[in-house]
Amino acid sequence: MNGQSTAASDPYFPANGDPRYRVHRYELALEYRPGPNRLAGTARLSAIAGRAALAEFHLNLAEFKIGRVMVDGRRPHFTHRGGKLRIRPAKPLAAGAAFTVEVHWVGNPKPVTSPWGGLGWEELTDGALVASQPVGAPSWYPCNDRPADKASYQISVNTPSAYTVVAGGRLLTRTTRASTTTWVYEQPAPTSSYLVGLSIGMYQTVLLGDPGLGGVTQSAHVPAHLLPRFSRDFARQPAMMKLFEELFGPYPFGEYAVVVADEELDVPVEAQGLSLFGTNHVDGVRGSERLIAHELAHQWFGNSVTIADWRHIWLNEGFAKYAEWLWSERSGGRRAHELALAAHRLLASQAQDLVLADPGRKLMFDDRLYQRGGLAVHAVRCALGDEAFFRMLRDWATSHRHGVVSTVAFTAHVARYASEPVDGLLSAWLYEPALPPLPSPPARLSVPAKPGYPPTNGEPAARGRS
């Protein structure tokens, strides 16, 4: 990626984010009371100005009451309208200068409006959760809301002691005083604002599998009444982790947590080191197992390897879709090529007006983008053959670990593993709306003849589920 690619406004959401500076750390101290849905917060941002002096800059923050703003310990001039906190420091910040911003705010958090409904902070029947993709982060904290601006986070939440607080990262401390408890989480890995996850609810905490020496700790936070179904539905997640580490390289973060909110959710949501599911994704018969694989795969594709802007969302969703197919193939379900054929038949019957590499804001979450993204990855596999494809895939995830990428970077990466030119194939799949024919599968497949990850408890493989 060149510097210019990460330093421009997002074409789909030009009002979100400020490319004139970058944040390298957020420290958030929050107090939340579920009954009145009242949030009070202090944010301390450590940032660096870009190549030009900063006479003013902005943060994205929803319509809270602002108590105080400080820049390098001095009060700046600021305005707060239309979801933008515009800040003019007492003295312009020099190009390349490090600076700190402190913001105090209070109010009743609610989702921000979007073409896809409310995004961000969602008050539940008993608790709250955050699902911010793509622009919901300002619903609860001030941020430079652009995916390419990745920072480390420390999040402290004080709430009534009956509630469990879950955030992406390592739990540093949990301190109870009187009737409230303060939970402090640290996420040292670079994190996009839309991937800062948080859930507050009545949960039982359990561990999934035994990580062993040097393994990834996998925890789950689940309403007690759902634990029997959950334990069956998520039993194979440790095997997914093992497979994805084999295929994509080491898990990119320190730990992985899943939360099942005690409400139905339209879709599961990925966050950094954390995935959120609803009661409708826990049925006791593994009906949502492909979604468990999909959200776990996002930890590599989307969270660690992050898109420069939202035009490139297929690099998140196409790879996570293909991870579903790889899990099916390796665990005794349908082979990836069978699933690709089914997806191709489906897309061939639908409108062909989607350009994968730049779908436009209206179509960026269209189901066709997910399916065609998975097909594009499968077409690359067919063109490269399995040996080169899986080397390419692992190298993509490891060489860009905690980095920022684009479609152009991906096509250049693929070309290095191809024995013959792949420009035409990539152009057809990524830049043309017409659906290309699905290539023939590679002559030799590297998948084992027998399932490498058989179902637990000696149960027969659930064939046909993706």
Side-chain angles (χ1 to χ4, degrees):
M1 289 293 303
N2 60 46
Q4 290 179 328
S5 298
T6 59
S9 296
D10 192 298
Y12 291 1
F13 303 98
N16 282 63
D18 187 337
R20 296 172 293 179
Y21 71 98
R22 61 185 178 89
V23 183
H24 63 85
R25 183 165 176 81
Y26 290 81
E27 295 175 353
L28 307 179
L30 310 174
E31 291 189 9
Y32 180 64
R33 298 298 174 259
N37 184 39
R38 189 73 169 170
L39 180 69
T42 300
R44 181 179 175 86
L45 286 64
S46 300
I48 299 175
R51 296 178 180 177
L54 277 182
E56 63 92 26
F57 61 93
H58 75 256
L59 294 164
N60 294 105
L61 179 64
E63 301 308 312
F64 291 95
K65 180 181 178 181
I66 305 297
R68 186 175 66 175
V69 177
M70 305 287 281
V71 176
D72 289 337
R74 301 178 66 184
R75 293 182 182 272
H77 175 75
F78 69 89
T79 60
H80 184 217
R81 287 191 295 271
K84 276 191 179 183
L85 178 60
R86 298 184 183 274
I87 300 172
R88 182 176 292 274
K91 180 181 177 182
L93 301 166
F99 64 99
T100 60
V101 184
E102 189 176 303
V103 181
H104 299 244
W105 74 100
V106 65
N108 300 104
K110 62 182 179 180
V112 298
T113 57
S114 83
W116 310 279
L119 299 173
W121 188 284
E122 184 174 347
E123 182 184 9
L124 303 179
T125 302
D126 194 10
L129 64 78
V130 169
S132 292
Q133 188 178 16
V135 289
S139 68
W140 64 290
Y141 76 101
C143 56
N144 191 9
D145 192 31
R146 45 195 297 266
D149 194 24
K150 301 170 71 170
S152 66
Y153 279 79
Q154 185 175 105
I155 301 175
S156 167
V157 182
N158 177 274
T159 201
S161 296
Y163 293 87
T164 296
V165 175
V166 186
R170 182 165 65 95
L171 178 62
L172 296 182
T173 60
R174 184 179 63 188
T175 307
T176 298
R177 289 189 176 91
S179 60
T180 67
T181 298
T182 300
W183 305 67
V184 181
Y185 283 86
E186 176 74 27
Q187 176 55 270
T191 305
S192 298
S193 51
Y194 85 92
L195 290 170
V196 181
L198 183 67
S199 183
I200 301 169
M202 302 285 192
Y203 299 127
Q204 294 285 321
T205 299
V206 296
L207 291 178
L208 288 169
D210 179 2
L213 190 62
V216 179
T217 299
Q218 300 175 61
S219 61
H221 309 273
V222 186
H225 67 95
L226 292 176
L227 276 172
R229 280 186 278 167
F230 173 88
S231 61
R232 178 180 172 85
D233 289 340
F234 282 74
R236 299 210 289 182
Q237 184 181 282
M240 291 178 191
M241 179 71 78
K242 182 179 177 183
L243 173 64
F244 290 170
E245 286 200 303
E246 171 196 327
L247 297 180
F248 311 147
Y251 178 73
F253 308 111
E255 51 285 299
Y256 182 57
V258 295
V259 170
V260 179
D262 203 4
E263 296 198 16
E264 291 193 359
L265 301 181
D266 290 341
V267 293
V269 179
E270 75 272 14
Q272 192 99 320
L274 173 69
S275 294
L276 304 168
F277 297 83
T279 56
N280 47 315
H281 303 124
V282 180
D283 58 13
V285 294
R286 295 182 180 146
S288 295
E289 188 167 88
R290 71 172 186 85
L291 299 177
I292 298 170
H294 185 104
E295 301 310 322
L296 177 57
H298 270 311
Q299 302 304 320
W300 285 265
F301 305 111
N303 299 10
S304 172
V305 181
T306 301
I307 52 176
D309 62 57
W310 290 107
R311 290 174 298 181
H312 311 289
I313 188 172
W314 85 271
L315 289 170
N316 294 0
E317 301 303 345
F319 279 86
K321 171 59 70 174
Y322 201 67
E324 297 177 27
W325 299 353
L326 290 172
W327 169 248
S328 176
E329 182 170 275
R330 294 294 189 96
S331 64
R334 294 164 73 185
R335 305 293 276 267
H337 194 69
E338 294 177 63
L339 293 164
L341 286 170
H344 195 274
R345 285 194 297 269
L346 176 66
L347 289 181
S349 68
Q350 297 177 339
Q352 295 181 29
D353 58 352
L354 183 144
V355 175
L356 196 59
D358 190 1
R361 190 167 80 167
K362 183 178 179 181
L363 297 180
M364 62 183 284
F365 294 115
D366 193 293
D367 187 61
R368 292 173 297 160
L369 180 134
Y370 293 63
Q371 300 289 345
R372 181 159 174 162
L375 285 171
V377 177
H378 188 69
V380 171
R381 180 182 179 185
C382 293
L384 298 185
D386 271 15
E387 192 277 330
F389 171 78
F390 285 109
R391 269 196 302 117
M392 181 280 297
L393 190 60
R394 185 183 175 97
D395 289 351
W396 174 251
T398 55
S399 64
H400 295 287
R401 183 181 173 98
H402 301 317
V404 174
V405 297
S406 66
T407 300
V408 169
F410 176 70
T411 57
H413 179 81
V414 170
R416 291 195 285 271
Y417 296 80
S419 57
E420 298 179 0
V422 289
D423 294 1
L425 176 136
L426 291 170
S427 178
W429 279 100
L430 301 177
Y431 296 102
E432 300 297 332
L435 183 68
L438 190 65
S440 300
R444 291 187 61 192
L445 293 174
S446 63
V447 292
K450 294 182 178 180
Y453 302 88
T456 54
N457 304 323
E459 297 169 1
R463 300 191 66 84
R465 185 175 297 143
S466 63

